[in-house]
Amino acid sequence: MNITRYFIVIIVSIGVGFFGLRFYDNFSESSDLNTFLEEAYVISTLHNESSKDYQRLINFDELNRDEFESTFIEIIRNAQEANNILINSESQYKGSEKELLEIATTSWLKGLETFQVSILNLVDQEYTQVLEESIAESISSLSVGDKAYINFLIEINSKSETENIFLPDFFNIEYTGIESNAYQFAEVIVDKALENKSGLFLKRDISVTGVEFVPESIATTEEGYKVLLDKEVSLQLVIANEGNVEETEVLILILVTDEFGETIFEKRTKLNTIGPFESKSYYTEPLKIEKGIVYEWFILVEETENEEDFEDNIYSVKAFIPPED
């Protein structure tokens, strides 16, 4: 009797262990699937926003360079974030749906990065067949991503119906959707970009637009010299970015000399950033100058690469404190 009871206990334990293991496996698989679906929804949201911005940009209507570049930076940032979500996924789910979504995110990212570089090169350089082929390649990559994402939606919806799984509201996303006509579409894109080239054309121009003494000068002589109060004086510089792209590390040289050619002050400084069509002020340190001597403040803003007009990068002004009677 004891032996029979012993065998019954063993059989029951094995059964409980087996079903417990099956329950754990099912729970683990369900948890991984839910995690994947949450990640997939974030990816879908990111690319939904990016695809809408992309469609707006490729119309090239009333675009300027800064808007184009800043919007595309955001588009690619979203695509990189979406790609990183799957690379660093917390889910061990191995279904074909995940593989399709991986193909979509990597293809979209590759296509967007290639497109951004190719379009700006097309605008800034002379047209070549190589540039058009690069644009066609980017469109082809985007189309592969579109197709993979459509198949992802088909399979995940099918899985939902057969296994009664609740799905997030995934967005319908399409960047181009025309894989077989990538080269024809590239020709259209090239024509539109070249037609609107003036708005996207890279313009770089930093200038010194004005100076003002602090305290303000009290008069100006016939020679154009500024008459100053008998106080320490500094100079306010106004530096303007008259180009259509942000400039970084704008270098400024400030030199103050007396009428004998002696340098009494010299400094190199920089503005970390200055946005397109933006102006920034910079104040020099206060100086104590001698009465009755004419001093010259010389300002030079180093020209940026490929700057169109660098004559306005230089500014000079002369000033003095009147001598005592």
Side-chain angles (χ1 to χ4, degrees):
M1 185 70 177
N2 289 336
I3 294 175
T4 303
R5 184 178 298 175
Y6 177 74
F7 278 109
I8 291 173
V9 170
I10 291 176
I11 292 170
V12 170
S13 298
I14 292 173
V16 169
F18 175 76
F19 287 110
L21 183 61
R22 287 292 302 275
F23 175 79
Y24 174 79
D25 287 341
N26 290 337
F27 175 79
S28 178
E29 182 179 350
S30 175
S31 177
D32 281 334
L33 175 59
N34 287 333
T35 300
F36 166 67
L37 292 175
E38 291 173 2
E39 293 171 344
Y41 177 71
V42 176
I43 291 169
S44 179
T45 301
L46 289 168
H47 274 289
N48 180 55
E49 296 174 2
S50 292
S51 61
K52 289 178 180 178
D53 286 337
Y54 175 82
Q55 292 295 335
R56 180 172 61 84
L57 289 184
I58 62 175
N59 285 326
F60 299 103
D61 292 335
E62 299 180 1
L63 278 179
N64 60 56
R65 179 65 170 247
D66 180 57
E67 181 186 2
F68 185 89
E69 288 194 337
S70 61
T71 303
F72 232 107
I73 287 172
E74 188 62 30
I75 288 173
I76 291 178
R77 184 181 292 123
N78 285 347
Q80 290 171 336
E81 182 180 348
N83 196 49
N84 289 336
I85 286 173
L86 286 182
I87 291 175
N88 303 309
S89 175
E90 297 180 359
S91 170
Q92 299 300 315
Y93 182 69
K94 301 295 183 182
S96 59
E97 302 87 0
K98 186 174 184 179
E99 183 179 352
L100 286 167
L101 192 57
E102 287 174 346
I103 294 172
T105 56
T106 55
S107 298
W108 281 334
L109 177 58
K110 177 184 176 183
L112 291 168
E113 289 178 333
T114 304
F115 186 87
Q116 180 194 35
V117 174
S118 301
I119 283 294
L120 293 180
N121 284 339
L122 177 69
V123 171
D124 295 337
Q125 303 172 15
E126 289 189 13
Y127 166 81
T128 65
Q129 188 64 36
V130 173
L131 288 175
E132 186 167 328
E133 290 174 357
S134 180
I135 293 171
E137 179 185 337
S138 73
I139 292 168
S140 179
S141 294
L142 291 172
S143 299
V144 170
D146 289 350
K147 188 174 182 180
Y149 183 77
I150 290 172
N151 288 334
F152 156 76
L153 291 180
I154 292 172
E155 292 205 13
I156 201 68
N157 282 315
S158 175
K159 186 178 185 69
S160 172
E161 291 174 0
T162 57
E163 301 182 20
N164 196 28
I165 298 170
F166 176 77
L167 295 180
D169 291 328
F170 292 115
F171 294 97
N172 293 317
I173 299 169
E174 185 175 273
Y175 281 91
T176 61
I178 48 172
E179 184 181 358
S180 61
N181 298 317
Y183 278 86
Q184 293 180 14
F185 191 59
E187 291 179 2
V188 175
I189 294 294
V190 167
D191 289 341
K192 284 186 176 182
L194 293 177
E195 287 175 6
N196 294 272
K197 186 172 182 176
S198 59
L200 294 177
F201 184 76
L202 177 62
K203 179 183 178 183
R204 307 186 73 174
D205 186 14
I206 295 291
S207 64
V208 184
T209 57
V211 300
E212 184 65 52
F213 284 102
V214 181
E216 292 184 17
S217 58
I218 57 177
T220 303
T221 67
E222 293 181 357
E223 297 90 347
Y225 301 167
K226 301 293 184 180
V227 181
L228 306 176
L229 295 171
D230 186 11
K231 296 181 178 181
E232 286 190 341
V233 62
S234 62
L235 196 67
Q236 177 191 7
L237 318 177
V238 180
I239 311 300
N241 180 359
E242 298 179 336
N244 57 11
V245 292
E246 181 182 61
E247 298 290 354
T248 59
E249 297 190 345
V250 177
L251 299 177
I252 305 170
L253 169 65
I254 303 160
L255 194 66
V256 183
T257 58
D258 61 24
E259 61 188 45
F260 310 108
E262 296 293 328
T263 300
I264 67 164
F265 178 83
E266 181 176 357
K267 182 173 184 179
R268 290 181 180 272
T269 186
K270 68 179 179 180
L271 299 177
N272 291 328
T273 62
I274 180 167
F277 313 113
E278 180 184 9
S279 295
K280 286 190 175 182
S281 293
Y282 177 82
Y283 291 83
T284 64
E285 292 91 331
L287 290 177
K288 180 64 177 178
I289 61 175
E290 296 185 33
K291 299 176 184 178
I293 297 178
V294 176
Y295 294 84
E296 180 178 17
W297 280 255
F298 176 84
I299 300 97
L300 169 67
V301 178
E302 289 194 10
E303 62 183 280
T304 61
E305 184 180 0
N306 299 321
E307 185 166 353
E308 291 187 358
D309 178 15
F310 52 85
E311 291 183 359
D312 54 8
N313 292 33
I314 299 172
Y315 199 104
S316 68
V317 60
K318 292 183 178 181
F320 68 96
I321 298 174
E324 294 181 356
D325 294 336

